[in-house]
Amino acid sequence: MRRLWLRWALLIVFVAVLGVAFVNLGNWQLDRLAQRKERNATTIANEQKPIQPYEQVFTRPITDAEQWQRVEARGTFDADHQYVVRYRSNGGTEGYEVVTPLRTASGVVLVDRGFIPLERGTRIPSAAPAPPAGEVTVVGHVRRNEQGRRAATTPVGNQMRLINSNAIATTLPYEITSGYIGLLTVQPEQQGGFQPIQLPDLSEGPHFWYAVQWFLFTAIG
């Protein structure tokens, strides 16, 4: 009889521990849902703001809350310092991106000139398509530095996997602003089959149903 009560007590403790864990996991998914809703609302609000001169936004390191605003910049591309960003995806299509510094009257800002799709099995080229010559006007999204391992952010030759202005600055003979512009349009137009980078997924994702799942597991337990 004593052994039976001990087994019941251990079973109750085990179920209680599982219940607490499942409830916490459900609440974690609800927190992620709230964060995603907030990010989506910020993205939509920023993208709908009027286009601003880039000098008014790039006054400090760019944060998540400032991303996806539209800015305009005028200057000339530095075709001697171009970077190929490997292994990128845009709307489910695989390819690469090209980053080129833009010299303006108030400084130098990196411009992600867009995405170039590649067919499966095609090698990523070592040289990027040349930018338009002379003075250009670009309109694009405000983007913050991408974060990752040093091996991914530091250019080797002229290639890297993540766009980080601090890492790229170490390879340039001049200073650049923090963050970069994700190109939407440029005048005169550029050649090379570039596509604008799509906005992030604005759906709410599966977090709500994951939370329901964890709460159901609690009830079953």
Side-chain angles (χ1 to χ4, degrees):
M1 188 66 153
R2 182 179 178 183
R3 185 173 298 177
L4 179 62
W5 277 107
L6 179 61
R7 292 170 65 181
W8 272 106
L10 291 175
L11 179 60
I12 290 171
V13 170
F14 175 70
V15 171
V17 170
L18 278 184
V20 170
F22 289 164
V23 168
N24 286 335
L25 286 169
N27 288 331
W28 172 61
Q29 288 294 338
L30 291 179
D31 286 341
R32 293 193 64 190
L33 175 61
Q35 292 170 9
R36 186 152 185 165
K37 286 182 176 180
E38 182 179 359
R39 188 206 69 179
N40 290 348
T42 300
T43 298
I44 293 171
N46 284 349
E47 213 275 334
Q48 292 177 347
K49 289 180 179 179
I51 299 173
Q52 302 181 63
Y54 100 93
E55 296 92 343
Q56 294 182 9
V57 179
F58 285 80
T59 57
R60 58 190 179 280
I62 302 299
T63 66
D64 280 330
E66 295 165 315
Q67 288 205 108
W68 305 109
Q69 299 177 66
R70 291 173 300 158
V71 293
E72 181 181 82
R74 291 184 178 89
T76 56
F77 282 116
D78 181 2
D80 293 331
H81 295 94
Q82 294 208 96
Y83 301 90
V84 173
V85 191
R86 308 189 307 271
Y87 310 123
R88 306 290 276 194
S89 178
N90 190 38
T93 303
E94 302 300 318
Y96 67 99
E97 296 168 28
V98 175
V99 172
T100 309
L102 180 71
R103 296 177 180 268
T104 76
S106 57
V108 182
V109 61
L110 295 176
V111 176
D112 181 351
R113 292 169 51 207
F115 173 83
I116 300 178
L118 286 177
E119 295 184 3
R120 185 179 297 274
T122 304
R123 291 177 60 89
I124 298 174
S126 58
E135 186 174 72
V136 299
T137 299
V138 304
V139 174
H141 286 131
V142 175
R143 302 297 307 277
R144 67 163 175 80
N145 284 335
E146 297 176 346
Q147 304 298 323
R149 293 180 301 172
R150 191 173 184 179
T153 60
T154 303
V156 177
N158 68 328
Q159 298 193 11
M160 66 271 188
R161 295 190 62 180
L162 298 175
I163 305 173
N164 185 292
S165 62
N166 295 331
I168 292 174
T170 63
T171 67
L172 291 171
Y174 43 74
E175 294 184 357
I176 58 177
T177 59
S178 178
Y180 64 99
I181 297 174
L183 187 67
L184 291 171
T185 63
V186 57
Q187 295 294 331
E189 294 183 359
Q190 62 180 343
Q191 305 298 318
F194 286 93
Q195 299 176 2
I197 305 300
Q198 297 183 15
L199 289 172
D201 179 17
L202 296 177
S203 70
E204 294 184 357
H207 303 299
F208 174 78
W209 294 110
Y210 283 167
V212 171
Q213 187 179 62
W214 285 118
F215 294 143
L216 285 175
F217 286 162
T218 303
I220 293 172

PDB file of all heavy atoms in Angstrom, residues 174-193:
ATOM      1  N   TYR A 174      37.710  54.865 -46.510  1.00  0.00           N
ATOM      2  CA  TYR A 174      36.975  56.029 -46.013  1.00  0.00           C
ATOM      3  C   TYR A 174      35.911  55.554 -45.028  1.00  0.00           C
ATOM      4  O   TYR A 174      35.597  54.357 -44.946  1.00  0.00           O
ATOM      5  CB  TYR A 174      36.326  56.801 -47.162  1.00  0.00           C
ATOM      6  CG  TYR A 174      35.657  55.936 -48.205  1.00  0.00           C
ATOM      7  CD1 TYR A 174      34.426  55.302 -47.955  1.00  0.00           C
ATOM      8  CD2 TYR A 174      36.248  55.729 -49.448  1.00  0.00           C
ATOM      9  CE1 TYR A 174      33.812  54.504 -48.901  1.00  0.00           C
ATOM     10  CE2 TYR A 174      35.644  54.937 -50.404  1.00  0.00           C
ATOM     11  CZ  TYR A 174      34.429  54.322 -50.135  1.00  0.00           C
ATOM     12  OH  TYR A 174      33.840  53.519 -51.082  1.00  0.00           O
ATOM     13  N   GLU A 175      35.347  56.488 -44.283  1.00  0.00           N
ATOM     14  CA  GLU A 175      34.315  56.162 -43.304  1.00  0.00           C
ATOM     15  C   GLU A 175      32.954  56.020 -43.989  1.00  0.00           C
ATOM     16  O   GLU A 175      32.700  56.658 -45.018  1.00  0.00           O
ATOM     17  CB  GLU A 175      34.245  57.249 -42.229  1.00  0.00           C
ATOM     18  CG  GLU A 175      35.485  57.335 -41.351  1.00  0.00           C
ATOM     19  CD  GLU A 175      35.323  58.357 -40.244  1.00  0.00           C
ATOM     20  OE1 GLU A 175      34.261  59.029 -40.206  1.00  0.00           O
ATOM     21  OE2 GLU A 175      36.238  58.481 -39.417  1.00  0.00           O
ATOM     22  N   ILE A 176      32.098  55.193 -43.398  1.00  0.00           N
ATOM     23  CA  ILE A 176      30.741  55.017 -43.915  1.00  0.00           C
ATOM     24  C   ILE A 176      29.758  55.082 -42.750  1.00  0.00           C
ATOM     25  O   ILE A 176      30.131  54.898 -41.584  1.00  0.00           O
ATOM     26  CB  ILE A 176      30.566  53.680 -44.661  1.00  0.00           C
ATOM     27  CG1 ILE A 176      30.910  52.489 -43.750  1.00  0.00           C
ATOM     28  CG2 ILE A 176      31.424  53.638 -45.913  1.00  0.00           C
ATOM     29  CD1 ILE A 176      30.679  51.135 -44.396  1.00  0.00           C
ATOM     30  N   THR A 177      28.496  55.350 -43.071  1.00  0.00           N
ATOM     31  CA  THR A 177      27.474  55.399 -42.034  1.00  0.00           C
ATOM     32  C   THR A 177      27.095  53.996 -41.590  1.00  0.00           C
ATOM     33  O   THR A 177      27.320  53.017 -42.301  1.00  0.00           O
ATOM     34  CB  THR A 177      26.216  56.117 -42.554  1.00  0.00           C
ATOM     35  OG1 THR A 177      25.722  55.401 -43.699  1.00  0.00           O
ATOM     36  CG2 THR A 177      26.516  57.539 -42.953  1.00  0.00           C
ATOM     37  N   SER A 178      26.499  53.900 -40.417  1.00  0.00           N
ATOM     38  CA  SER A 178      26.058  52.617 -39.889  1.00  0.00           C
ATOM     39  C   SER A 178      24.756  52.198 -40.560  1.00  0.00           C
ATOM     40  O   SER A 178      23.861  53.013 -40.769  1.00  0.00           O
ATOM     41  CB  SER A 178      25.850  52.704 -38.378  1.00  0.00           C
ATOM     42  OG  SER A 178      25.374  51.478 -37.864  1.00  0.00           O
ATOM     43  N   GLY A 179      24.637  50.920 -40.894  1.00  0.00           N
ATOM     44  CA  GLY A 179      23.460  50.423 -41.590  1.00  0.00           C
ATOM     45  C   GLY A 179      23.617  50.550 -43.091  1.00  0.00           C
ATOM     46  O   GLY A 179      24.709  50.843 -43.602  1.00  0.00           O
ATOM     47  N   TYR A 180      22.521  50.337 -43.816  1.00  0.00           N
ATOM     48  CA  TYR A 180      22.595  50.446 -45.271  1.00  0.00           C
ATOM     49  C   TYR A 180      21.208  50.687 -45.840  1.00  0.00           C
ATOM     50  O   TYR A 180      20.197  50.602 -45.131  1.00  0.00           O
ATOM     51  CB  TYR A 180      23.220  49.193 -45.886  1.00  0.00           C
ATOM     52  CG  TYR A 180      22.439  47.908 -45.691  1.00  0.00           C
ATOM     53  CD1 TYR A 180      21.619  47.400 -46.708  1.00  0.00           C
ATOM     54  CD2 TYR A 180      22.525  47.169 -44.517  1.00  0.00           C
ATOM     55  CE1 TYR A 180      20.921  46.219 -46.545  1.00  0.00           C
ATOM     56  CE2 TYR A 180      21.833  45.984 -44.349  1.00  0.00           C
ATOM     57  CZ  TYR A 180      21.034  45.511 -45.365  1.00  0.00           C
ATOM     58  OH  TYR A 180      20.333  44.336 -45.196  1.00  0.00           O
ATOM     59  N   ILE A 181      21.163  51.007 -47.147  1.00  0.00           N
ATOM     60  CA  ILE A 181      19.910  51.240 -47.858  1.00  0.00           C
ATOM     61  C   ILE A 181      19.626  50.039 -48.751  1.00  0.00           C
ATOM     62  O   ILE A 181      20.495  49.624 -49.523  1.00  0.00           O
ATOM     63  CB  ILE A 181      19.982  52.521 -48.709  1.00  0.00           C
ATOM     64  CG1 ILE A 181      20.191  53.755 -47.818  1.00  0.00           C
ATOM     65  CG2 ILE A 181      18.721  52.694 -49.549  1.00  0.00           C
ATOM     66  CD1 ILE A 181      20.409  55.045 -48.605  1.00  0.00           C
ATOM     67  N   GLY A 182      18.423  49.483 -48.645  1.00  0.00           N
ATOM     68  CA  GLY A 182      17.991  48.411 -49.530  1.00  0.00           C
ATOM     69  C   GLY A 182      17.283  49.016 -50.733  1.00  0.00           C
ATOM     70  O   GLY A 182      16.150  49.501 -50.605  1.00  0.00           O
ATOM     71  N   LEU A 183      17.909  48.971 -51.880  1.00  0.00           N
ATOM     72  CA  LEU A 183      17.450  49.711 -53.057  1.00  0.00           C
ATOM     73  C   LEU A 183      16.070  49.270 -53.543  1.00  0.00           C
ATOM     74  O   LEU A 183      15.779  48.080 -53.659  1.00  0.00           O
ATOM     75  CB  LEU A 183      18.458  49.533 -54.196  1.00  0.00           C
ATOM     76  CG  LEU A 183      18.228  50.377 -55.443  1.00  0.00           C
ATOM     77  CD1 LEU A 183      18.444  51.852 -55.131  1.00  0.00           C
ATOM     78  CD2 LEU A 183      19.155  49.934 -56.560  1.00  0.00           C
ATOM     79  N   LEU A 184      15.234  50.272 -53.830  1.00  0.00           N
ATOM     80  CA  LEU A 184      13.954  50.049 -54.496  1.00  0.00           C
ATOM     81  C   LEU A 184      14.007  50.541 -55.937  1.00  0.00           C
ATOM     82  O   LEU A 184      13.638  49.831 -56.865  1.00  0.00           O
ATOM     83  CB  LEU A 184      12.824  50.750 -53.735  1.00  0.00           C
ATOM     84  CG  LEU A 184      12.464  50.180 -52.373  1.00  0.00           C
ATOM     85  CD1 LEU A 184      11.491  51.104 -51.640  1.00  0.00           C
ATOM     86  CD2 LEU A 184      11.858  48.787 -52.515  1.00  0.00           C
ATOM     87  N   THR A 185      14.482  51.776 -56.130  1.00  0.00           N
ATOM     88  CA  THR A 185      14.624  52.338 -57.476  1.00  0.00           C
ATOM     89  C   THR A 185      15.909  53.146 -57.550  1.00  0.00           C
ATOM     90  O   THR A 185      16.401  53.656 -56.537  1.00  0.00           O
ATOM     91  CB  THR A 185      13.443  53.271 -57.835  1.00  0.00           C
ATOM     92  OG1 THR A 185      13.426  54.388 -56.931  1.00  0.00           O
ATOM     93  CG2 THR A 185      12.115  52.536 -57.760  1.00  0.00           C
ATOM     94  N   VAL A 186      16.439  53.264 -58.750  1.00  0.00           N
ATOM     95  CA  VAL A 186      17.614  54.090 -58.993  1.00  0.00           C
ATOM     96  C   VAL A 186      17.462  54.738 -60.362  1.00  0.00           C
ATOM     97  O   VAL A 186      17.005  54.112 -61.314  1.00  0.00           O
ATOM     98  CB  VAL A 186      18.921  53.267 -58.916  1.00  0.00           C
ATOM     99  CG1 VAL A 186      18.909  52.101 -59.904  1.00  0.00           C
ATOM    100  CG2 VAL A 186      20.136  54.161 -59.149  1.00  0.00           C
ATOM    101  N   GLN A 187      17.822  55.998 -60.424  1.00  0.00           N
ATOM    102  CA  GLN A 187      17.820  56.748 -61.682  1.00  0.00           C
ATOM    103  C   GLN A 187      19.186  57.375 -61.892  1.00  0.00           C
ATOM    104  O   GLN A 187      19.668  58.060 -60.994  1.00  0.00           O
ATOM    105  CB  GLN A 187      16.733  57.837 -61.659  1.00  0.00           C
ATOM    106  CG  GLN A 187      15.319  57.308 -61.597  1.00  0.00           C
ATOM    107  CD  GLN A 187      14.939  56.544 -62.849  1.00  0.00           C
ATOM    108  OE1 GLN A 187      15.452  56.811 -63.945  1.00  0.00           O
ATOM    109  NE2 GLN A 187      14.023  55.601 -62.707  1.00  0.00           N
ATOM    110  N   PRO A 188      19.834  57.120 -63.056  1.00  0.00           N
ATOM    111  CA  PRO A 188      19.411  56.252 -64.158  1.00  0.00           C
ATOM    112  C   PRO A 188      19.319  54.790 -63.716  1.00  0.00           C
ATOM    113  O   PRO A 188      19.951  54.393 -62.740  1.00  0.00           O
ATOM    114  CB  PRO A 188      20.519  56.440 -65.197  1.00  0.00           C
ATOM    115  CG  PRO A 188      21.372  57.560 -64.726  1.00  0.00           C
ATOM    116  CD  PRO A 188      21.140  57.744 -63.283  1.00  0.00           C
ATOM    117  N   GLU A 189      18.545  54.007 -64.462  1.00  0.00           N
ATOM    118  CA  GLU A 189      18.319  52.617 -64.099  1.00  0.00           C
ATOM    119  C   GLU A 189      19.599  51.795 -64.230  1.00  0.00           C
ATOM    120  O   GLU A 189      20.482  52.109 -65.024  1.00  0.00           O
ATOM    121  CB  GLU A 189      17.220  52.022 -64.982  1.00  0.00           C
ATOM    122  CG  GLU A 189      15.851  52.644 -64.763  1.00  0.00           C
ATOM    123  CD  GLU A 189      14.779  51.980 -65.592  1.00  0.00           C
ATOM    124  OE1 GLU A 189      15.130  51.039 -66.363  1.00  0.00           O
ATOM    125  OE2 GLU A 189      13.607  52.366 -65.480  1.00  0.00           O
ATOM    126  N   GLN A 190      19.674  50.729 -63.439  1.00  0.00           N
ATOM    127  CA  GLN A 190      20.826  49.843 -63.484  1.00  0.00           C
ATOM    128  C   GLN A 190      20.524  48.598 -64.315  1.00  0.00           C
ATOM    129  O   GLN A 190      19.368  48.225 -64.513  1.00  0.00           O
ATOM    130  CB  GLN A 190      21.252  49.437 -62.070  1.00  0.00           C
ATOM    131  CG  GLN A 190      20.212  48.663 -61.293  1.00  0.00           C
ATOM    132  CD  GLN A 190      20.694  48.294 -59.896  1.00  0.00           C
ATOM    133  OE1 GLN A 190      21.885  48.328 -59.585  1.00  0.00           O
ATOM    134  NE2 GLN A 190      19.766  47.931 -59.033  1.00  0.00           N
ATOM    135  N   GLN A 191      21.573  47.956 -64.782  1.00  0.00           N
ATOM    136  CA  GLN A 191      21.472  46.722 -65.551  1.00  0.00           C
ATOM    137  C   GLN A 191      21.954  45.553 -64.695  1.00  0.00           C
ATOM    138  O   GLN A 191      22.673  45.733 -63.718  1.00  0.00           O
ATOM    139  CB  GLN A 191      22.316  46.823 -66.822  1.00  0.00           C
ATOM    140  CG  GLN A 191      21.985  48.024 -67.705  1.00  0.00           C
ATOM    141  CD  GLN A 191      20.563  48.003 -68.215  1.00  0.00           C
ATOM    142  OE1 GLN A 191      20.047  46.961 -68.620  1.00  0.00           O
ATOM    143  NE2 GLN A 191      19.907  49.169 -68.206  1.00  0.00           N
ATOM    144  N   GLY A 192      21.558  44.348 -65.090  1.00  0.00           N
ATOM    145  CA  GLY A 192      22.062  43.164 -64.392  1.00  0.00           C
ATOM    146  C   GLY A 192      21.002  42.253 -63.833  1.00  0.00           C
ATOM    147  O   GLY A 192      21.320  41.266 -63.170  1.00  0.00           O
ATOM    148  N   GLY A 193      19.724  42.551 -64.087  1.00  0.00           N
ATOM    149  CA  GLY A 193      18.662  41.655 -63.618  1.00  0.00           C
ATOM    150  C   GLY A 193      18.375  41.743 -62.137  1.00  0.00           C
ATOM    151  O   GLY A 193      17.925  40.766 -61.526  1.00  0.00           O
TER     152      GLY A 193
END
